[in-house]
Each structure stands twice: as structure tokens, then as C-alpha cells.
Amino acid sequence: MIRKFVGAVAAALAVMAGLWLMIAPFALGTQPQNADWTDPTTTEFFSGLGVTVFGLVGVIGFVLAIYEELVIRGLVTVKQRVEPEPEPVPAAPQASSAELASLLAPLVEALREDMHNPSRGGEHRQNGKTTLVGLEESR
């Protein structure tokens, strides 16, 4: 466990050293203001960026190892994620065939009337065209 703490501290120090390398040319004045980056500035900045990324990966790795060790020792309890049970969707009431027939009967009757009396519903047709039903009957 101590080794993991030492590793985490060393990785955190590496992050701080990398950040210092990134800002040192600007903080110490070796990089002229309002000028393109010099070769030493570019080298220090990107070296610092690499050290910082490497240190961050180390810190994350060591912290996860410490957490795992604490879970194994029972000092940290892992909360189990409780999935809520989906509420059952109430089934739609099934209509019997008799109910459906009684609901559809007025519609069927209205359609039959329309089919047998083409003159009654002809005022809504465009350009005097006959209905498809009328065309079918005349074949």
C-alpha cells in the first residue's frame, strides 16, 4: 500500500515538473514577448507536455490501484447500482369482435350508400370525374 502512495506522489510531482517545463520559458523571460517561439522554448514546452501527460497517466493508475486495494480490504464499500424495474405497461383492453362490428356498422352503411348512390355525393368531385367505384361498376 505504501508503494502505491509513493508512486502516486511521484507521479504528481512529475505532473508539476512537466507544468513547470511548459511555463518556464515564459516565466523566466527566455522567450521574447510578441515573437515566434524560439527552438529552446518549443523544446521545453513539448517536453513538459510529454512529462505532464505521462505523470497524469501515472496518477490516475496509482489512484485506481489505491482504490482497488481499499475495496479489497473492506475500507471502502462499493455501492451497487440498482436498476429500476420497468413499470409494466397496462395492456389496452381488447375489444371483442361484436364491439368492433357495432362500431364499424355505421361506417359500412355509409360506404354502401355512397357506392349505390353516386349522384348524391358527386358535388365534391373535381371536373365532373366519376368516382372510382362508379368506374368499377361500369366495366
Side-chain angles (χ1 to χ4, degrees):
M1 185 76 161
I2 296 296
R3 289 181 186 167
K4 292 174 186 165
F5 280 118
V6 171
V9 169
L13 289 174
V15 169
M16 289 189 289
L19 290 174
W20 172 249
L21 282 173
M22 290 171 66
I23 64 169
F26 307 103
L28 299 177
T30 58
Q31 170 62 37
Q33 274 187 324
N34 300 328
D36 289 340
W37 283 13
T38 61
D39 288 339
T41 300
T42 305
T43 303
E44 285 186 37
F45 182 83
F46 287 109
S47 297
L49 182 65
V51 171
T52 302
V53 169
F54 187 72
L56 280 175
V57 170
V59 167
I60 291 170
F62 280 112
V63 166
L64 290 176
I66 292 169
Y67 179 76
E68 183 181 354
E69 181 75 25
L70 291 175
V71 169
I72 290 171
R73 290 184 181 189
L75 299 173
V76 173
T77 58
V78 180
K79 293 183 181 179
Q80 298 296 327
R81 197 181 299 184
V82 178
E83 297 283 333
E85 292 184 21
E87 293 185 24
V89 177
Q94 298 292 327
S96 66
S97 59
E99 289 174 352
L100 286 176
S102 67
L103 288 172
L104 294 176
L107 178 63
V108 171
E109 288 302 316
L111 288 173
R112 274 194 197 139
E113 270 185 43
D114 251 359
M115 285 176 37
H116 294 298
N117 297 331
S119 61
R120 192 182 119 199
E123 65 272 358
H124 67 277
R125 297 198 176 62
Q126 297 177 1
N127 300 328
K129 294 180 181 177
T130 60
T131 63
L132 291 177
V133 176
L135 288 174
E136 291 294 324
E137 289 176 357
S138 63
R139 285 188 183 176

